[in-house]
Amino acid sequence: MRCHVAFLAMMLTLSMVEVTQSQRNGRWRDRWNQFLQQLRNRFGDREGFGFFGRHQPWWEGANVCRSVVNSAPSGTTQHRPEREQCRDSGAAYTCVSTITNGAGTVVRTDVRQCCHGYARQRNDFGCPIVLQLSNLPQTAQSLGLNDLLGAVTTAGLGDALTNSNFTVFAPKDGSFAGVSLPVNELQAVLLSHVIAGPRRSSSFSDEEVLQTASPLGSTIRINVYTRPQTLTTANCVPVTSADNIATNGVIHVVDKILPTVTSSIMDLIAQDPQFSLLRTALEKANLVTTFQGTGQFTLFAPTNAAFQSLDQTLLNRLINGDVTCLQKVLKQHVLPNVICSAIIQPGNARALNLLDNYVNLTHTGDGSVLVNDAQVIRADVMATNGIIHAINGVLIPNEALDIVNVAQRSGLTELTQLVQTAGLTSTLQNAQNVTVFAPTNEAFQILPAATVQQLTSNPALLQQVLTYHVVPQQLSVRQLTASNSQQLNTLNTPAKLRVNQYFGYRQRVVTVQCAPVITTDVPACNGVAHVISQLLIPPTGTVVDVLVADPNYSTLVELVQAAGLVGALQTEGPFTVFAPNNQAFAQLGQQMLQELRSDVQQLAYILRLHVIQDNLCCAGIFRNPWWRQQRSTALSGDPLFLSRDRTDTPIVNDVSISNCDNIATNGIVHGVDSVLLPRFN
């Protein structure tokens, strides 16, 4: 009712206002034009708005200039090609594209920003604001850079700074305190802070190298960081005040005098006696050319004292041994981009090195910087192709150690002790391209005492068992699981290992001889290790031999012989046998057993119900949700349903598997407590 009254009142009011149609149209037109003007004021001039027309961005307006900068090829292809990424900061519209080719990685930076001497506010189209500017010396004076101006005057560079177009990286006031140099050297230092032409920070790209006006031919490397904080550095010196525009250039205030950079990383290493061992290592590893050319590397450089603190055997092996291992050690110390100490903040960070390993960078409370466990003792030694941080330790990755040392470092002490007892240490250290399946300490500790005594008292037997864990081929877990149930040759010829991969609901298990692999792809210099949860014992017979050797399965063996299945179960397989023990057959009663013995065809059917032609380890039987039932097909053609009960015991057709993973040369035997019978649905 209230709405109706309001509507009638509105209609009555309108009827009392005498306005012509043309007046009403004019009023609406004025309101529409006023609305469009508000949009122009807010978003800039446009050819229409929204779906009424095309959006015209601010950088297409007046007084906007464009610059394109291509960085030199970095000499490394660590960066993958990326599509163009654009960002509008309000002050500049910047598009960065990364191009990787055979020469290296080139970063193309395309910047649209206000032309020199112009500016804009947030909602302006183009850059309509004309700046009131002073020349470079006057701008420097307004920034309080009096020491710099005094040095410029002393060096006789005042006229050049007034009349030429430059970008100046100006050390903050106080940086020149105590600096006393001959005029020509002072000129070279000052000019190493100057590049030709005006460059604002929005046009800088990360890892861009600028050529200075110095007669020494020095360079300035720009680094632009966004994490863990936003920071721009010039030769690793933080820029504290950017884009101070003058009539004839731009001033960027930096935290201190920039180092004069004219030498490559390799040149600096060669010139410094504390890096003589590092120089030798680089030469032996054929990496000299890498660090002499162009690039953007961070080298954590161990000093001579750091190398000499290594175990002497390890040091000799690295310096005089396998070149590949030495290369891996050195690459552990190299990042594919420049990380300045100023960006390493208190706390922990990490960076990816040339081995694709993460290096931990820690800024401690006392101001020290740690690289893994080594301390940076001299930071930010700039080179034309990167930066050097001297460290007091050598970073040794697993990839540079032999397989025995890797096992020792990984805490597999029981294994390494037995390798030494068996006299296999030298064999494994000198082997090339091997795969070792390394049992955990717990795998040895759960062995029966009699088994341990038998192994440790018989070196020949121990050698057979341990060499059974070694494959004379380097295989990653991806290669191991490329085909299911593949067999691998071992150093214990002719014994072989069988590798399987199983999938459950959100579960995946890889096994070798039914031992689950719990850690994969542990790298070593001469191979790779996969950590497993059990000791592997070489099998000595087929599934029939496994059954015959255990008196608990004597009834089953008798029935297999009676059914004429012995020959079939001694073929290559693989077979998985769910083997009822004698007690399970006794539960059937003598009458049913007699009936089975008298009907060979029925007996063979029942026995085939207990066999699948596959290698199914207990680790491959999962507890799955009700809608994802795990099953396999027996040789009889019947389905076998697999699961686990509440105690995590594996089950086949509601029968518990009480004795898992008795390994044979052609399969597995699992003991069950009941005879499997056909399920009729």
Side-chain angles (χ1 to χ4, degrees), residues 266-557:
M266 196 63 225
D267 293 334
L268 294 175
I269 294 296
Q271 294 164 11
D272 195 330
Q274 72 170 328
F275 294 131
S276 60
L277 287 177
L278 176 59
R279 176 185 178 181
T280 300
L282 290 169
E283 290 171 348
K284 287 183 176 291
N286 301 317
L287 292 176
V288 170
T289 303
T290 299
F291 294 109
Q292 278 181 333
T294 58
Q296 50 192 47
F297 302 109
T298 296
L299 173 61
F300 299 108
T303 61
N304 289 347
F307 277 105
Q308 291 163 352
S309 67
L310 290 175
D311 175 79
Q312 193 63 39
T313 302
L314 176 59
L315 177 59
N316 290 338
R317 186 170 63 80
L318 290 177
I319 297 298
N320 302 313
D322 193 319
V323 170
T324 302
C325 295
L326 181 58
Q327 285 180 342
K328 291 176 180 178
V329 171
L330 296 172
K331 288 181 178 180
Q332 178 78 354
H333 295 75
V334 184
L335 309 182
N337 48 6
V338 172
I339 301 295
C340 303
S341 62
I343 197 59
I344 304 175
Q345 298 298 301
N348 295 323
R350 61 180 190 169
L352 205 61
N353 64 21
L354 292 189
L355 277 184
D356 283 335
N357 291 336
Y358 280 105
V359 176
N360 294 316
L361 305 176
T362 305
H363 193 294
T364 63
D366 62 359
S368 300
V369 174
L370 299 180
V371 185
N372 289 353
D373 294 327
Q375 183 175 346
V376 175
I377 56 177
R378 184 183 174 194
D380 300 334
V381 181
M382 289 301 305
T384 54
N385 55 349
I387 189 171
I388 298 172
H389 302 293
I391 57 176
N392 66 356
V394 182
L395 312 179
I396 305 291
N398 283 348
E399 291 91 334
L401 298 174
D402 64 66
I403 202 78
V404 177
N405 286 331
V406 167
Q408 184 73 38
R409 175 183 278 192
S410 301
L412 303 174
T413 53
E414 297 278 355
L415 173 62
T416 54
Q417 180 62 47
L418 288 177
V419 166
Q420 184 176 357
T421 301
L424 291 173
T425 301
S426 178
T427 300
L428 293 180
Q429 286 180 329
N430 295 322
Q432 293 298 318
N433 300 321
V434 294
T435 299
V436 174
F437 294 97
T440 62
N441 290 342
E442 292 74 17
F444 290 101
Q445 292 162 1
I446 62 176
L447 291 174
T451 302
V452 175
Q453 175 63 26
Q454 185 182 16
L455 290 173
T456 55
S457 62
N458 188 341
L461 176 61
L462 182 58
Q463 279 192 4
Q464 291 178 12
V465 171
L466 293 178
T467 54
Y468 184 57
H469 293 72
V470 184
V471 175
Q473 183 182 2
Q474 185 168 329
L475 298 169
S476 67
V477 70
R478 174 175 289 187
Q479 293 169 311
L480 290 174
T481 56
S483 61
N484 197 36
S485 204
Q486 69 168 310
Q487 290 185 282
L488 308 173
N489 293 321
T490 69
L491 293 186
N492 182 5
T493 307
K496 294 186 177 184
L497 298 174
R498 190 183 298 274
V499 179
N500 289 95
Q501 181 175 211
Y502 305 101
F503 293 94
Y505 180 68
R506 296 182 177 177
Q507 300 171 84
R508 172 180 178 259
V509 174
V510 177
T511 64
V512 53
Q513 294 296 91
C514 286
V517 179
I518 57 178
T519 304
T520 63
D521 296 328
V522 180
C525 182
N526 60 334
V528 64
H530 306 288
V531 182
I532 57 177
S533 61
Q534 299 169 24
L535 181 69
L536 307 179
I537 303 296
T540 56
T542 66
V543 292
V544 174
D545 297 322
V546 170
L547 293 172
V548 170
D550 192 333
N552 289 314
Y553 300 117
S554 59
T555 302
L556 175 59
V557 171

Side-chain angles (χ1 to χ4, degrees), residues 12-27:
L12 180 60
T13 302
L14 289 175
S15 66
M16 295 174 64
V17 179
E18 295 182 1
V19 180
T20 65
Q21 183 67 33
S22 61
Q23 288 174 320
R24 286 198 298 271
N25 290 343
R27 185 180 302 164

Side-chain angles (χ1 to χ4, degrees), residues 39-77:
L39 292 179
R40 292 189 183 96
N41 292 339
R42 181 171 176 79
F43 298 104
D45 192 16
R46 285 156 170 76
E47 298 175 0
F49 176 77
F51 53 81
F52 295 109
R54 181 177 67 86
H55 174 90
Q56 188 175 7
W58 69 263
W59 53 87
E60 294 184 3
N63 304 319
V64 175
C65 293
R66 180 183 184 185
S67 61
V68 179
V69 177
N70 291 324
S71 69
S74 66
T76 175
T77 56

Side-chain angles (χ1 to χ4, degrees), residues 51-271:
F51 53 81
F52 295 109
R54 181 177 67 86
H55 174 90
Q56 188 175 7
W58 69 263
W59 53 87
E60 294 184 3
N63 304 319
V64 175
C65 293
R66 180 183 184 185
S67 61
V68 179
V69 177
N70 291 324
S71 69
S74 66
T76 175
T77 56
Q78 290 291 319
H79 299 67
R80 297 181 178 178
E82 298 177 359
R83 289 188 296 179
E84 185 176 64
Q85 295 181 343
C86 298
R87 184 176 67 91
D88 180 11
S89 67
Y93 179 72
T94 306
C95 292
V96 179
S97 55
T98 306
I99 304 168
T100 300
N101 52 36
T105 299
V106 177
V107 178
R108 178 187 177 91
T109 304
D110 187 343
V111 181
R112 294 177 175 91
Q113 60 186 349
C114 294
C115 296
H116 198 81
Y118 292 89
R120 65 182 299 273
Q121 293 182 346
R122 178 178 178 81
N123 297 325
D124 288 337
F125 179 63
C127 300
I129 301 172
V130 180
L131 299 176
Q132 301 300 316
L133 303 177
S134 303
N135 61 25
L136 283 170
Q138 292 169 338
T139 303
Q141 187 175 22
S142 69
L143 294 170
L145 302 174
N146 298 315
D147 288 350
L148 172 64
L149 291 173
V152 167
T153 301
T154 301
L157 296 175
D159 289 342
L161 198 63
T162 302
N163 300 318
S164 301
N165 293 322
F166 292 122
T167 295
V168 180
F169 293 89
K172 68 180 182 182
D173 214 37
S175 299
F176 287 90
V179 176
S180 178
L181 296 171
V183 171
N184 61 330
E185 293 183 21
L186 181 60
Q187 283 183 347
V189 168
L190 291 172
L191 290 175
S192 69
H193 292 72
V194 175
I195 64 172
R199 288 288 302 276
R200 276 170 281 177
S201 61
S202 55
S203 70
F204 292 148
S205 60
D206 188 37
E207 303 288 8
E208 182 180 358
V209 177
L210 309 174
Q211 193 66 46
T212 71
S214 171
L216 301 176
S218 62
T219 58
I220 297 174
R221 180 179 293 273
I222 299 296
N223 286 101
V224 181
Y225 302 102
T226 57
R227 291 183 302 174
Q229 64 173 335
T230 300
L231 177 68
T232 299
T233 61
N235 280 351
C236 278
V237 177
V239 176
T240 58
S241 176
D243 300 330
N244 300 284
I245 301 175
T247 54
N248 60 326
V250 181
I251 294 177
H252 305 291
V253 182
V254 293
D255 198 47
K256 61 181 180 180
I257 295 175
L258 302 185
T260 301
V261 178
T262 58
S263 302
S264 69
I265 288 176
M266 196 63 225
D267 293 334
L268 294 175
I269 294 296
Q271 294 164 11

